[in-house]
């Protein structure tokens, strides 16, 4: 079982980590997935790669804000800390603690910053510096999203992923970028290919 018992310091560290990620979540929390993977899977082994990827896939397929994947990550961290579903009420209570800490951590700092900056930017939208900042953020957002895709496909180790997964990811990216096909159809196609054993 991944995770093990988390100390109060571990929970505090989880909260602080997500607060820090909140401040760099340009274009949304999804752009910080590589560092979440590094922290939760690589550094602390609180989640497995399949749990990490499943949390994101399920949240993306579900209706509602895509930041819900953060709640699932926190839920799985807490559930693992409580011994998994076999841990009973204690495990589910720790799962709820994980949801609370990760969601408050990821939403509170960026929410306050966005509210403040948006009001200031709206009042100063004609300034050259404000326009330059907005244009300069474009390449950063694209780079963060590419890094997110890299982590989801490879789990951080490019050589371990079969070429069929890379090809599927590339085709999916082109379809989403160049067509109006809804993302859910792309996810369904990926799920079908996986169920058939092609990827």
């Amino acid at each position: 079982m991944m995770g093990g018992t988390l100390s109060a310091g571990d929970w505090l560290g989880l909260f602080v980590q997500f607060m820090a990620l909140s401040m760099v979540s340009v274009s949304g929390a999804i752009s910080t997935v590589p560092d979440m993977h590094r922290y939760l899977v690589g550094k602390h082994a609180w989640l497995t790669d399949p749990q990490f990827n499943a949390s994101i896939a399920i949240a993306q397929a579900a209706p509602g804000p895509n930041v819900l994947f953060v709640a699932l990550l926190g839920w799985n961290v807490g559930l693992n800390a409580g011994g998994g579903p076999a841990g009973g009420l204690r495990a589910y209570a720790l799962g709820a603690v994980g949801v609370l800490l990760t969601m408050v951590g990821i939403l509170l700092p960026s929410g306050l910053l966005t509210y403040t900056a948006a009001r200031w930017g709206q009042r100063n939208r004609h300034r050259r510096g404000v326009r330059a900042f907005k244009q300069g953020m474009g390449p950063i957002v694209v780079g963060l999203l590419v890094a997110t895709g890299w982590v989801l496909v490879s789990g951080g180790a490019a050589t371990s992923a079969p070429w069929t997964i890379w090809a599927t990811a590339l085709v999916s990216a082109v379809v989403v970028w160049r067509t109006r096909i809804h993302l859910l159809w792309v996810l369904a196609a990926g799920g079908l290919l996986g169920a058939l054993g092609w990827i």
Side-chain angles (χ1 to χ4, degrees):
M1 180 62 63
M2 300 289 294
T5 302
L6 272 66
S7 66
D10 291 331
W11 288 115
L12 178 61
L14 179 69
F15 181 61
V16 171
Q17 177 69 15
F18 275 76
M19 286 188 74
L21 290 176
S22 177
M23 298 302 290
V24 295
S25 57
V26 180
S27 82
I30 195 72
S31 64
T32 61
V33 161
D35 199 69
M36 291 180 187
H37 182 273
R38 179 197 63 79
Y39 187 79
L40 298 175
V41 179
K43 183 176 180 180
H44 292 292
W46 289 336
L47 295 178
T48 63
D49 263 323
Q51 284 179 320
F52 188 88
N53 289 342
S55 298
I56 296 175
I58 291 171
Q60 295 300 304
N66 67 7
V67 75
L68 292 179
F69 81 89
V70 174
L72 284 177
L73 293 176
W75 172 260
N76 283 319
V77 167
L79 200 61
N80 286 346
L89 288 178
R90 179 176 179 275
Y92 293 119
L94 291 177
V97 171
V99 170
L100 180 66
L101 293 181
T102 54
M103 287 300 285
V104 172
I106 202 70
L107 291 175
L108 186 61
S110 58
L112 292 174
L113 178 64
T114 300
Y115 177 76
T116 305
R119 288 172 60 89
W120 184 87
Q122 182 64 20
R123 287 196 305 269
N124 298 279
R125 60 186 178 279
H126 301 300
R127 290 188 177 185
R128 185 174 183 178
V130 173
R131 296 201 308 271
F133 176 80
K134 290 180 177 178
Q135 291 179 356
M137 292 304 291
I140 295 175
V141 171
V142 172
L144 289 172
L145 291 177
V146 169
T148 298
W150 178 278
V151 168
L152 291 178
V153 171
S154 69
T159 55
S160 65
W163 70 268
T164 51
I165 294 180
W166 286 105
T168 303
L170 181 61
V171 170
S172 300
V174 172
V175 167
V176 171
W177 176 34
R178 302 297 296 180
T179 73
R180 293 182 177 273
I181 296 175
H182 197 281
L183 183 60
L184 289 180
W185 289 111
V186 179
L187 289 172
L192 179 61
L193 291 175
L196 295 174
W198 292 353
I199 57 174

